[in-house]
Amino acid sequence: MKNKPLVSILIPTYNRADYLGQSLDSALAQTYPNIEIIVHDDASTDATPTLLARYHDPRLRIIRTNKNHGMIGGWNYIVGKSCGEYIKFLA
C-alpha cells in the first residue's frame, strides 16, 4: 500500500491454544490496512494446530515447525520470516 509501511505482527506460540484465539482475533481486528500476521507454532503438542486450521485470512501466515526452538530461538526464527518495515510481537 502506497505510503503505508508494512507492519509485521508476530505471534510466537507453544502450547497456548487457550489464549491463541484471542490473540489472533485481536490482530485480525486491526484497522491499519498494511499488515502481515505471522504465527509460529513451535511444535505445539496441544490443540494449537486444530485452532489455527480454523483461520483463513490473506493477511495471515502460519508456520509450524516440528522441532521446538525454545523461546529466544522461536522469536529469532519468526523475525527472519517477516517482511515488515516494522515488527510487533504479540505474545
Side-chain angles (χ1 to χ4, degrees), residues 41-62:
D41 177 9
D42 201 11
S44 292
T45 58
D46 67 354
T48 296
T50 303
L51 177 112
L52 289 171
R54 297 192 309 230
Y55 285 86
H56 303 281
D57 188 291
R59 301 168 295 171
L60 176 62
R61 185 166 27 133
I62 298 168

Side-chain angles (χ1 to χ4, degrees), residues 10-54:
L10 307 180
I11 305 174
T13 190
Y14 174 71
N15 288 344
R16 294 289 181 254
D18 291 344
Y19 306 101
L20 183 56
Q22 291 175 333
S23 296
L24 271 171
D25 293 343
S26 174
L28 290 166
Q30 299 307 303
T31 58
Y32 184 78
N34 200 18
I35 61 172
E36 67 172 355
I37 302 163
I38 304 173
V39 177
H40 173 218
D41 177 9
D42 201 11
S44 292
T45 58
D46 67 354
T48 296
T50 303
L51 177 112
L52 289 171
R54 297 192 309 230

Side-chain angles (χ1 to χ4, degrees), residues 51-79:
L51 177 112
L52 289 171
R54 297 192 309 230
Y55 285 86
H56 303 281
D57 188 291
R59 301 168 295 171
L60 176 62
R61 185 166 27 133
I62 298 168
I63 302 169
R64 177 169 169 78
T65 52
N66 293 322
K67 177 184 173 260
N68 186 280
H69 292 82
M71 187 172 67
I72 301 302
W75 290 353
N76 289 333
Y77 179 83
I78 198 172
V79 166

